Amino acid sequence: MQIRHIVKMNSRLSFKDSAKPIQRFMEMRAQKYQIEIAFCSEFPDKNSLKISGIYLFSDMINPFSDYDEILNVLKQYSAFDWTRLQVEGLVPGTGFVDIFKTGGEADLPKTYYSGQQARFNLQINIFKYKRLKVFLRLLGKIKDLHTYSVEQFASKLESKEIFELVISYGEDIEIEYFDHCPVCRCKNVQKLYQQDSQPFLGFITKNSSFYTRCLQCEVIYLNPCPKREDIPRIYDEFDRQDFAASLNFPYDEKSQRGNFLEKLKLPEKSKSLDMGGGIGKFSQFLKKKYPAWDVTHSDFEIKQYPELEKMGIQTRALDFTSSSIGDSQFDLITMWEVIEHIHPERLEFVFQNIARALVRGGMFVFSTPNFDSSLCKALDFYSACPPFHTFVFSETWLTHYFSKHADFEISKIGYCSDFLDDLGGWMKYGQQTSPSISLRGMSEFVSVLSENSKIDKELMADSVEGTEIIYCLKRK
Ligand SMILES: [Zn+2]
């Protein structure tokens, strides 16, 4: 029976004209398998399909169709009369939204449980802009990629050359391997592997490790890691586009990060500096809440933000990993989800730099993913951001480190959870991408639970220690 593949275009792929090379790739791939392929902006009505046969429907963000597995499944179902077939458990990015057969007896859809994702734990869909970038680089690098089976692609991704390209985020940058913990220098370390989920940049199988854990101080660090001078190159337009598409806004009156500051009893006319502040959302929140404050927003590269300046917020370009922040100037320095991005060689310098810039008794407040939290480990959430996250810290590590620090004393600890704030979204993701029937079932269960009962997020963040910890240090 003739098989036709109908692909729905995806507006995300209009970014930087990415649809063209991907469409070309999908056409060549279908041709290799002798499958007719067509692209459309909306799926046609199934009743309007005039030519009889089997139709595969998919979205263009799933570009690497697993035709081998589908042909195998169709063979098994050829003994039955069916009209709709769903295949669960394919590697994300290789699957179909629907499989339809004309002329069959109308029936409930049948479901096949594929074991493909369980074999690889891989994700090659291009829903994230970071993944789109990596996939485009791989298309350029592996010329005959359209002829590969999923198994061959997975094995290619595990080769040293391609793994290093992926973990470099498709950039031509230098990376280095640490043979010891970059913080405490201990050589007794263990590699961690992602069994159940996948980093945002995708294209890494469960057999490649990119985080290592020190057995002595227990910090988790990116290994291999981009060379320090190359780190700015990974913050590119694809990365920024992921931020622009995200609706997450964790700084307002009701947010745990926003609330936390109230507990600190800062002076009425505080001078504050936010570092790594992106587009300045936190500084806007601060100025609105404390109009009398002298608020400065900073990030590595900054063009003047007229809208921030109009609100009375100062803006400053600041590379705190190499230049001085200042001397005894600030009552408060904040860094939300930033310290995990610092290159290991600069970590202690950055803490000293911050200490110098604070007045005596001034506060340094930051948040970062907390590996001690159970939720942080769920669906491998802690390892979602290589190569951007060079570290994964934990409450235990931070407390151990700062309880002996020359410049700081630990003042207050709080918790928040970007995972809980979007629990439904994360569970839907688990339902669609997890390697096992069991974890997909568990994700669906928690998703239903969260829809049907009100979850006290603050209480949950405190009792499971939050996926992120909010840490406040006081300048001695
Ligand atoms: Zn260590």
Side-chain angles (χ1 to χ4, degrees):
M1 205 174 227
Q2 180 64 43
I3 300 170
R4 293 185 175 77
H5 185 179
I6 298 181
V7 182
K8 189 171 151 183
M9 311 286 278
N10 192 299
S11 58
R12 286 194 156 235
L13 303 184
S14 60
F15 183 65
K16 296 178 81 67
D17 217 5
S18 307
K20 263 187 217 157
I22 290 160
Q23 180 168 343
R24 181 79 200 110
F25 168 81
M26 293 185 80
E27 282 165 351
M28 292 195 300
R29 185 163 178 75
Q31 197 178 19
K32 195 238 163 190
Y33 285 86
Q34 296 179 318
I35 287 171
E36 257 185 52
I37 193 164
F39 295 80
C40 59
S41 51
E42 288 299 328
F43 288 131
D45 178 4
K46 292 190 180 87
N47 298 318
S48 74
L49 299 170
K50 295 205 174 65
I51 308 167
S52 67
I54 292 170
Y55 287 84
L56 312 174
F57 293 90
S58 75
D59 191 295
M60 205 166 171
I61 59 163
N62 301 318
F64 202 92
S65 308
D66 193 347
Y67 293 130
D68 297 292
E69 178 74 344
I70 287 302
L71 292 173
N72 169 43
V73 172
L74 289 174
K75 209 172 182 180
Q76 296 195 54
Y77 280 78
S78 64
F80 317 130
D81 198 12
W82 60 273
T83 50
R84 277 186 69 197
L85 184 60
Q86 279 164 353
V87 181
E88 208 189 273
L90 289 171
V91 171
T94 72
F96 304 89
V97 280
D98 210 353
I99 300 172
F100 178 74
K101 190 173 73 171
T102 58
E105 194 86 1
D107 199 359
L108 289 173
K110 291 196 176 291
T111 303
Y112 179 81
Y113 292 92
S114 168
Q116 286 290 77
Q117 177 64 335
R119 292 170 69 196
F120 309 111
N121 185 36
L122 173 63
Q123 290 183 30
I124 51 187
N125 58 4
I126 44 180
F127 184 68
K128 288 270 168 200
Y129 289 97
K130 291 183 189 72
R131 274 186 201 183
L132 172 60
K133 173 180 167 175
V134 172
F135 187 60
L136 291 172
R137 290 294 151 93
L138 290 171
L139 282 184
K141 190 88 184 169
I142 312 169
K143 292 294 173 213
D144 53 351
L145 186 60
H146 64 279
T147 66
Y148 282 36
S149 65
V150 170
E151 185 172 15
Q152 285 168 327
F153 190 21
S155 131
K156 186 80 175 174
L157 291 170
E158 287 170 11
S159 71
K160 190 169 188 285
E161 185 199 4
I162 299 296
F163 168 70
E164 289 185 349
L165 181 73
V166 172
I167 204 69
S168 305
Y169 180 47
E171 286 285 339
D172 186 18
I173 54 175
E174 270 197 69
I175 52 172
E176 59 189 320
Y177 289 85
F178 296 110
D179 64 353
H180 57 262
C181 168
V183 179
C184 79
R185 311 269 145 200
C186 175
K187 287 204 164 191
N188 294 332
V189 297
Q190 66 176 146
K191 286 181 172 185
L192 303 180
Y193 294 87
Q194 282 53 44
Q195 301 293 326
D196 295 327
S197 188
Q198 183 83 170
F200 289 142
L201 82 168
F203 303 96
I204 294 176
T205 77
K206 64 180 178 186
N207 297 320
S208 298
S209 168
F210 51 87
Y211 279 120
T212 301
R213 186 167 176 268
C214 171
L215 297 182
Q216 181 166 269
C217 78
E218 300 193 330
V219 80
I220 293 169
Y221 53 94
L222 182 67
N223 191 26
C225 179
K227 285 248 164 136
R228 192 187 133 205
E229 50 280 12
D230 279 345
I231 281 194
R233 288 184 43 199
I234 62 178
Y235 296 91
D236 70 345
E237 45 206 339
F238 288 87
D239 171 54
R240 277 197 292 275
Q241 191 63 17
D242 273 334
F243 270 103
S246 153
L247 297 169
N248 192 8
F249 182 67
Y251 318 113
D252 59 26
E253 293 279 346
K254 287 181 221 115
S255 75
Q256 280 139 316
R257 288 182 182 88
N259 266 332
F260 187 78
L261 292 183
E262 278 189 24
K263 300 171 191 159
L264 301 184
K265 299 190 185 84
L266 289 151
E268 256 173 58
K269 284 192 177 174
S270 284
K271 191 169 159 134
S272 72
L273 171 70
D274 187 38
M275 300 204 295
I279 53 173
K281 285 185 174 177
F282 177 70
S283 294
Q284 287 181 43
F285 158 74
L286 217 52
K287 189 70 191 174
K288 226 164 145 187
K289 182 148 175 125
Y290 306 105
W293 281 23
D294 180 347
V295 175
T296 303
H297 158 72
S298 77
D299 211 326
F300 276 64
E301 273 178 63
I302 237 167
K303 297 178 185 83
Q304 297 292 304
Y305 278 112
E307 64 277 27
L308 290 183
E309 311 242 324
K310 254 185 248 162
M311 295 170 73
I313 297 163
Q314 300 177 53
T315 58
R316 176 177 168 193
L318 172 64
D319 176 357
F320 54 79
T321 65
S322 61
S323 333
S324 164
I325 302 165
D327 270 309
S328 307
Q329 284 173 14
F330 298 100
D331 302 289
L332 171 71
I333 292 180
T334 48
M335 270 175 125
W336 303 112
E337 308 299 308
V338 174
I339 69 162
E340 63 275 16
H341 295 251
I342 297 169
H343 190 274
E345 280 168 13
R346 303 310 286 169
L347 191 66
E348 185 46 34
F349 171 85
V350 170
F351 292 142
Q352 286 169 2
N353 201 2
I354 291 166
R356 241 189 335 267
L358 285 168
V359 298
R360 280 194 188 279
M363 300 291 193
F364 169 38
V365 180
F366 62 88
S367 66
T368 188
N370 175 15
F371 191 73
D372 284 353
S373 142
S374 55
L375 260 189
C376 194
K377 293 187 272 268
L379 294 177
D380 294 321
F381 178 79
Y382 74 96
S383 63
C385 293
F388 302 89
H389 287 188
T390 48
F391 281 112
V392 183
F393 298 107
S394 64
E395 178 170 356
T396 310
W397 187 89
L398 291 166
T399 302
H400 200 251
Y401 187 83
F402 285 113
S403 59
K404 295 181 295 198
H405 203 275
D407 302 323
F408 291 112
E409 63 184 69
I410 300 166
S411 172
K412 233 176 199 62
I413 294 172
Y415 308 97
C416 56
S417 180
D418 292 346
F419 191 106
L420 273 181
D421 287 346
D422 185 23
L423 187 62
W426 277 100
M427 288 301 128
K428 197 172 159 216
Y429 167 74
Q431 220 174 308
Q432 289 168 350
T433 62
S434 294
S436 67
I437 294 176
S438 158
L439 192 56
R440 292 198 297 273
M442 181 54 83
S443 301
E444 188 174 355
F445 170 74
V446 177
S447 169
V448 172
L449 194 69
S450 71
E451 274 165 31
N452 291 296
S453 49
K454 202 171 147 31
I455 289 175
D456 184 334
K457 282 190 205 160
E458 205 148 331
L459 185 74
M460 286 291 284
D462 285 351
S463 57
V464 295
E465 300 130 31
T467 39
E468 289 82 34
I469 186 166
I470 308 173
Y471 218 86
C472 176
L473 296 166
K474 189 176 183 176
R475 171 82 163 94
K476 280 185 193 168

